[in-house]
Amino acid sequence: MGDMTNSDFYSKNQRNESSHGGEFGCTMEELRSLMELRGTEAVVKIKETYGDTEAICRRLKTSPVEGLPGTAPDLEKRKQIFGQNFIPPKKPKTFLQLVWEALQDVTLIILEIAAIISLGLSFYHPPGENNEGCATAQGGAEDEGEAEAGWIEGAAILLSVICVVLVTAFNDWSKEKQFRGLQSRIEQEQKFTVVRAGQVVQIPVAEIVVGDIAQIKYGDLLPADGLFIQGNDLKIDESSLTGESDQVRKSVDKDPMLLSGTHVMEGSGRMVVTAVGVNSQTGIIFTLLGAGGEEEEKKDKKAKQQDGAAAMEMQPLKSAEGGDADDKKKANMHKKEKSVLQGKLTKLAVQIGKAGLVMSAITVIILVLYFTVDTFVVNKKPWLPECTPVYVQYFVKFFIIGVTVLVVAVPEGLPLAVTISLAYSVKKMMKDNNLVRHLDACETMGNATAICSDKTGTLTTNRMTVVQAYVGDVHYKEVPEPSSINAKTMELLVNAIAINSAYTTKILPPEKEGALPRQVGNKTECGLLGFVLDLKQDYEPVRSQMPEEKLYKVYTFNSVRKSMSTVIKMPDESFRMYSKGASEIVLKKCCKILNGAGEPRVFRPRDRDEMVKKVIEPMACDGLRTICVAYRDFPNTPEPDWDNENDILNDLTCICVVGIEDPVRPEVPEAIRKCQRAGITVRMVTGDNINTARAIAIKCGIIHPGEDFLCLEGKEFNRRIRNEKGEIEQERIDKIWPKLRVLARSSPTDKHTLVKGIIDSTHTEQRQVVAVTGDGTNDGPALKKADVGFAMGIAGTDVAKEASDIILTDDNFSSIVKAVMWGRNVYDSISKFLQFQLTVNVVAVIVAFTGACITQDSPLKAVQMLWVNLIMDTFASLALATEPPTETLLLRKPYGRNKPLISRTMMKNILGHAVYQLTLIFTLLFVGEKMFQIDSGRNAPLHSPPSEHYTIIFNTFVMMQLFNEINARKIHGERNVFDGIFRNPIFCTIVLGTFTIQIVIVQFGGKPFSCSPLQLDQWMWCIFIGLGELVWGQVIATIPTSRLKFLKEAGRLTQKEEIPEEELNEDVEEIDHAERELRRGQILWFRGLNRIQTQIEVVNTFKSGASFQGALRRQSSVTSQSQDVANLSSPSRVSLSNALSSPTSLPPAAAGQG
């Protein structure tokens, strides 16, 4: 199914539809064209063609109240006729494509060419071969048999190239598979509420069929197109399809069209699904994108060839990879430095690559000059035409040596290590309840210096229970006895709570014996319903008497009102409105209160002040949320103007005030303590009142009595950070945020302001890295702005999940601490790998270079170098990048954005070990034959057999790397390098595996590997020298780093590279709306096409700085498109013009499937 392209899928549906259309009263085509209309046009069309929405339901054989019967045959038939609710993904790359991609590596291509030339020459026996007149670079005659084996080296190089390519491709393939798995996991997690056979059920989005009655509520991302049947106060953000940011109010008679991919911003209701999958509005756009894809790729290919970037296969969108060098300057302006690590690595790799190139060029030049000078000047040999092939063969050999130096110098393992480490962490973080949506978020978390957390549900259990109440002039410290409450008051109270709450909120019997009853829906409302049950009353009969359809008007809860009200029609035609909300807000609107006899008495402002002091503040100081329940009666004539909210929500009569407890999660105080120890400041941002917030903050350990900290309310916060003109000033924020610990009664904009203020602050020498948690639709902006946004998996709305980087599947704060641990671990893994890799690089390059210059031949042959390269790049990155994190990671402060990747300690280790290895290798090279009483391997002729001498050097070199790999496990100068080694089975396997293969290579590798078998005592010496690495490691650890002032650190990001980009970015975003729309088209299409492309090709990845995030970003929601574009690390603006010249320039529209 997944392999079908969109167009096949589409045409298949078309065929099905024409054959079956008759079974239902309308065909798919009709419904599709209906859904393309908007507003009044649509209402007119429905009236003319069908009558009303109920008639459409009848034609689709569904009931607006009961929903579909939900029988399997019926659902199957609907899927066949109207299509399924999923958009077939683009085909993943085949293994062969990945192999082809890996082959594009420049260094590998050079090696392949060299190997092929070498092969060709070995089969070509020129006439002058045995001519005495031709010079040979070194003395010593050749055996006949050896000349025959000349082809082996070329073949071996080709073989090892194939090996490297296959390993690379396999890594890519498994990574792609992992991300697809992650993708489908995210998609399966998304469920939606529908009514089937009269039961409200949650089903996966892909199971929704045409004719389903879906219940929609605040915060949903609509999964299919449909018509609005009934509901209240429904407002939809359609910006994802239309680009209009205003919220659209939906009603049956004015605008009943609900479109997939749009967000519910307020209210609730029901819709009948009319189009799914590729036939929905979003699906149609995706289909167009799918068709536009092939042309775009062709175009891209041409562009790439013109750029002369020989190294990369064409990607559907340039932003996944690097394009042209000259656009890079422009690109940088629009690229926020998202992932710190990527920035540092890019810089480092480019530096190393350059150094390697210089070294290899010098090596080749020296070899060629030495040969020519020695032959034609010193020995005065003439250049004979018949000797040309012989000389060419020498030059090819020199060239191969040069390339080998380059191969070893270029750290192509770096991107691999990053990817493996991130992919491994992401997989493991699933177990720790972190569902990572954007790869780089995982590593950014390790640098976090501040966490702004919600209170409800994150720090607390989100199980609300009423524990105190103020009813009939009495303040009860626990739930009162039903007999102590007046009957009239009781009836009002039960009705007010049962009717004025979402009917989807229920309390169900516990799943297990002895467990707590299950709370479904809004937790605060569950707490109130639980209160009704504790009073030995029942809310169900009240709801069945007054079903949802009969509610006259509903003012749903939003962050501005901070209250919810429902109007019902009484039997005598008059109206009654029930209200509930934050007590200080609702009490301000009350002018009466029910007394002990259930009669209303006057409630004056001074009574209110007294009540706040005597009832509300004591409740809040116990950490309770206070909710006030009230009502008001209206006459039936004249009917009130329901749209004038200020008049309606006034003159209320207070029924009761309850204190709801939401206990702190037991594991939170410990988690917060860990954060504080790790140098992370936790701040609480909540909508609750300040006393409640402060009480909970003390329980959690966010604030400690006697410390110097600030707890502010949203209003006060705004007053302090704005100047006389009402503009926000960064200096003012800088005065507040370092001490601010609790922000209460805050609006979503306050949260965003605080996060932005902390991130933009230059108050500390390090830029702050901020993580934010959020669950509501209105938290979107703050989640986007933060360096890492955490959305709640259980309580979070779809909109919040779309804007986030990581989803907490258990809504628990302590999972955030796990994320910090994993993030730091990624950072450390990369450093460990670097420490190991650079030691090998330095040694191998120096050995090859000096060897070539002094003995005209590298002691380490091309094939051996490739094997070393495989050990140190691919295997080591696997071994070191998969170290599991330990609690000790949380004992140090965050690294910060401009701490270098290679610290002084690491530099000390790298140089220290390099000195040890070079000393031994040169000793073996120049006096090794005397030590072991064997023939010298130096100055051997062109095709001479492999010598024991050079084999010992190669073997010792590999042994030293193996033991140094164990040293590399610790980067902070710890003594015990074996600590926790058995917790990482991958590491042990790789070290042992490499050792075994090394034995096979040396003993049986023969000519291809330029090895001759060694005796046992020689092996012992090799291993003994290798073990010396561990001892030497201890010696290095003893030298205090503080003494070594001359050591430079490497791989740091300087401030100057970072800040201008941030600022530029802000400006660009503000000005360029047209640009933003264009980019939105581009992303979309980026999204619809391959999302998961990343590659191991170093030079390119690194040249374009295209971090993996560009490729891995999950199609992130439309709410975020404008900001997201900046993070796609698109290498140039030029790619936009390409994107637009193809069918992609649809309405800027095309919106996100979540």
Side-chain angles (χ1 to χ4, degrees), residues 760-776:
D760 295 347
S761 169
T762 48
H763 179 76
T764 45
E765 75 273 18
Q766 293 282 7
R767 148 153 150 42
Q768 295 276 313
V769 178
V770 183
V772 168
T773 67
D775 51 8

Side-chain angles (χ1 to χ4, degrees), residues 541-577:
V542 181
R543 283 186 172 179
S544 43
Q545 263 179 342
M546 177 59 69
E548 211 169 353
E549 297 79 57
K550 283 199 189 160
L551 300 180
Y552 195 80
K553 169 93 182 133
V554 178
Y555 299 95
T556 47
F557 181 90
N558 63 24
S559 54
V560 182
R561 287 188 191 124
K562 289 222 187 290
S563 67
M564 169 180 178
S565 311
T566 305
V567 180
I568 58 170
K569 219 172 186 161
M570 303 298 281
D572 62 356
E573 294 296 310
S574 66
F575 300 100
R576 173 171 287 175
M577 176 178 78

